[in-house]
Amino acid sequence: MTFRDLINKALFIEILKGLALTLKVFLTKPVTIKYPHEKRPVSSGFRGRHAMVRDPQTGKELCVACMKCAMVCPSQCIYIKYTGAEGEPRELTKYEIEAYRCIYCGYCVEVCPMNAIVLTEHYEYASYKRQDNYFDKERLLKNWDEHIKSLKATSYSNKFWKPLGIDIGRLPANKRQAEVELKGLSKDDLSQNIKEA
Ligand code: SF4
Ligand code: SF4
């Protein structure tokens, strides 16, 4: 043992260093929060519970049963059935997502030509029953209604997403307003969209 080690031991230097660190941490603002009483805002691009966009004019889904989302889904957790003859508009009869199998890649959102399916910022949907996270069409539309309510009139779609589909800036001016209402966009969102187009 060196002389320096001896002094350190005799004066409890290491213990004092430890106590100083404890005191420093004790006086520092904690990085943790008291969830679920406190909640952090979700980051841009967060991919949470699925929702199906409801057309405010018809009250029905925007989905046209093109099957693209089901085809692109790497987890194969989207199940769609439809009626309608070849070459005619399809009628969606079943649309289901098994959320437990979803890996939240967002491909279904990106590929949808109608912007009919979205991943919302809602993340508190853990459940004891498997069935609760087996979303059928009605449940997905309900998720949308809850999502819209929580947004308080801001843009329906997370700005990070930039989904394909209807590009407002490229629509004729007389059709833009309808699209703004459909998506619940603000004036700022609209001018931003037009600038980017
Ligand atoms: S987010 Fe990905 S895994 Fe989940 S349903 Fe969509 S395509 Fe499938
Ligand atoms: S890609 Fe969009 S429009 Fe096509 S089936 Fe899926 S949700 Fe419906």
Side-chain angles (χ1 to χ4, degrees):
M1 186 182 288
T2 63
F3 181 67
R4 191 192 176 91
D5 291 341
L6 201 65
I7 294 290
N8 279 350
K9 235 177 179 177
L11 297 177
F12 304 108
I13 297 295
E14 291 306 320
I15 292 175
L16 290 175
K17 273 187 189 169
L19 286 174
L21 181 66
T22 307
L23 187 67
K24 188 179 157 197
V25 172
F26 182 69
L27 297 173
T28 313
K29 195 173 180 284
V31 289
T32 50
I33 56 166
K34 289 176 185 166
Y35 179 83
H37 307 294
E38 290 174 52
K39 288 173 192 170
R40 287 191 201 287
V42 293
S43 305
S44 288
F46 181 83
R47 303 168 191 174
R49 189 174 67 174
H50 315 70
M52 236 183 171
V53 181
R54 190 191 288 281
D55 184 339
Q57 270 137 35
T58 63
K60 292 177 74 183
E61 67 280 354
L62 284 175
C63 175
V64 292
C66 70
M67 302 295 287
K68 284 186 178 182
C69 53
M71 279 191 279
V72 82
C73 177
S75 301
Q76 299 282 290
C77 63
I78 303 178
Y79 312 103
I80 302 174
K81 278 192 181 159
Y82 61 87
T83 54
E86 188 75 37
E88 285 183 9
R90 295 172 178 176
E91 173 96 23
L92 191 68
T93 55
K94 172 178 161 178
Y95 191 103
E96 288 174 359
I97 295 181
E98 203 177 344
Y100 282 124
R101 287 181 52 206
C102 173
I103 57 168
Y104 297 86
C105 63
Y107 286 177
C108 52
V109 180
E110 289 183 37
V111 81
C112 180
M114 302 301 291
N115 289 344
I117 188 90
V118 290
L119 291 172
T120 67
E121 287 87 357
H122 186 76
Y123 57 87
E124 293 173 304
Y125 54 108
S127 167
Y128 289 111
K129 285 184 279 170
R130 190 176 180 84
Q131 203 56 28
D132 289 346
N133 282 328
Y134 200 96
F135 300 141
D136 62 10
K137 192 175 80 172
E138 292 315 313
R139 177 69 198 279
L140 286 163
L141 287 168
K142 190 167 164 260
N143 290 352
W144 170 254
D145 294 337
E146 287 172 10
H147 176 53
I148 279 286
K149 225 184 275 172
S150 71
L151 286 178
K152 298 188 183 74
T154 53
S155 169
Y156 91 85
S157 180
N158 194 318
K159 289 187 178 79
F160 181 87
W161 277 108
K162 299 253 172 252
L164 299 174
I166 305 157
D167 185 347
I168 299 173
R170 293 185 199 284
L171 286 175
N174 61 345
K175 292 203 173 163
R176 280 180 197 155
Q177 192 50 41
E179 198 58 28
V180 166
E181 281 162 20
L182 173 71
K183 291 185 172 178
L185 293 171
S186 67
K187 277 184 185 157
D188 290 348
D189 292 324
L190 177 60
S191 46
Q192 184 66 19
N193 267 287
I194 293 168
K195 236 182 276 165
E196 285 169 8

